[in-house]
Amino acid sequence: MRKLAAGNWKMNGLKADGVALAGEIAQRAKAEKLGCDILICPPAPLLFPVGAVLAGSPVALGAQNCHANEKGAHTGEVAAPMLTDAGCSYVILGHSERRADNGESDAVVRAKTVAAHKAGLIAIVCIGETLQERDAGETLAVVSRQLAGSLPDGLDAKGLVIAYEPVWAIGTGRTPTIVQVAEVHAHIRQTLKGRVADSDAVRILYGGSVKPSNAQELMNVPNVDGALVGGASLVAADFWAIAQACS
Ligand code: PEP
């Protein structure tokens, strides 16, 4: 399966930073054709300038969130059709930081996923356990529960990407062992059967402290179909090295 290297810039960078970083990634992508898909998800105000820089390159544009409604009285929110209009083809949904900071439940993530599909976006639905849940031996149950609650019916592999991101591995420099990653990804693949048509073709990304030094090992794990990269996606050379590991 063609892997996906996705960069989540989170709430980082002003216009000049984003344009420079995206420009470097676009340049590398034009010069070296990789055998993976490459995606950049900047903060919402940077979607248009970054999209302009990526135009004509093989690098796709994505957003970090959308609202469940198509339009209306939701001050400060961004609707999925606005993201499509800005040139996005992907949207990250249910990131653990949004689940924690904004109280996003599985039901909310599910409603947002429906909205994203309606707008023609590919939803990257994030799931993953906390350290407390991992220590309590609840990881697989948590992941099952999040999948059951966050995924609407009628999905197919073209419109869906899953990102497994252990909360305790995000931005901490800690990663699960290869055996732990393999176990959870196999479990996700199994759980998707029956939930999603052509479930074997759904890309399941690993996210959480992916860096150039561990990317290849992680990408070699069965059912790991790419990476969702936070901190390392803010450094062009590091993100590119991870993309190379995905290809
Ligand atoms: C993320 O937030 O999606 C992420 C994986 O962050 P980091 O790579 O910085 O751990």
Side-chain angles (χ1 to χ4, degrees), residues 150-199:
S150 305
L151 299 185
D153 294 329
L155 294 175
D156 64 27
K158 272 206 244 30
L160 177 70
V161 174
I162 302 292
Y164 169 57
E165 300 205 301
V167 178
W168 52 275
I170 294 176
T172 60
R174 294 183 60 190
T175 50
T177 65
I178 292 305
V179 171
Q180 288 171 327
V181 172
E183 181 190 34
V184 180
H185 278 245
H187 178 75
I188 293 169
R189 178 75 64 209
Q190 190 57 36
T191 307
L192 289 175
K193 282 192 204 312
R195 268 326 288 288
V196 180
D198 59 355
S199 59

Side-chain angles (χ1 to χ4, degrees), residues 8 10 92 95-97 126 165 169-174 206-211 228-233:
N8 171 17
K10 311 193 185 188
I92 298 170
H95 190 283
S96 66
E97 287 155 13
C126 302
E165 300 205 301
I170 294 176
T172 60
R174 294 183 60 190
Y206 169 77
S209 296
V210 178
K211 42 192 182 235
L228 182 53
V229 186
S233 72

Side-chain angles (χ1 to χ4, degrees), residues 14-104:
L14 302 180
K15 188 167 76 175
D17 309 309
V19 163
L21 180 54
E24 200 174 333
I25 299 294
Q27 224 170 7
R28 287 174 185 258
K30 281 185 202 161
E32 183 186 348
K33 294 272 172 278
L34 295 185
C36 67
D37 293 334
I38 305 169
L39 168 68
I40 286 176
C41 301
L46 301 192
L47 287 172
F48 277 101
V50 166
V53 170
L54 298 182
S57 85
V59 183
L61 182 70
Q64 301 173 14
N65 177 45
C66 72
H67 196 270
N69 288 9
E70 241 171 79
K71 61 177 181 176
H74 301 285
T75 303
E77 294 288 341
V78 177
M82 296 172 183
L83 301 179
T84 315
D85 192 42
C88 292
S89 42
Y90 291 81
V91 61
I92 298 170
L93 295 174
H95 190 283
S96 66
E97 287 155 13
R98 292 203 59 84
R99 289 178 186 260
D101 294 355
N102 301 74
E104 282 190 10

Side-chain angles (χ1 to χ4, degrees), residues 220-233:
N220 288 342
V221 175
N223 293 303
V224 173
D225 309 310
L228 182 53
V229 186
S233 72

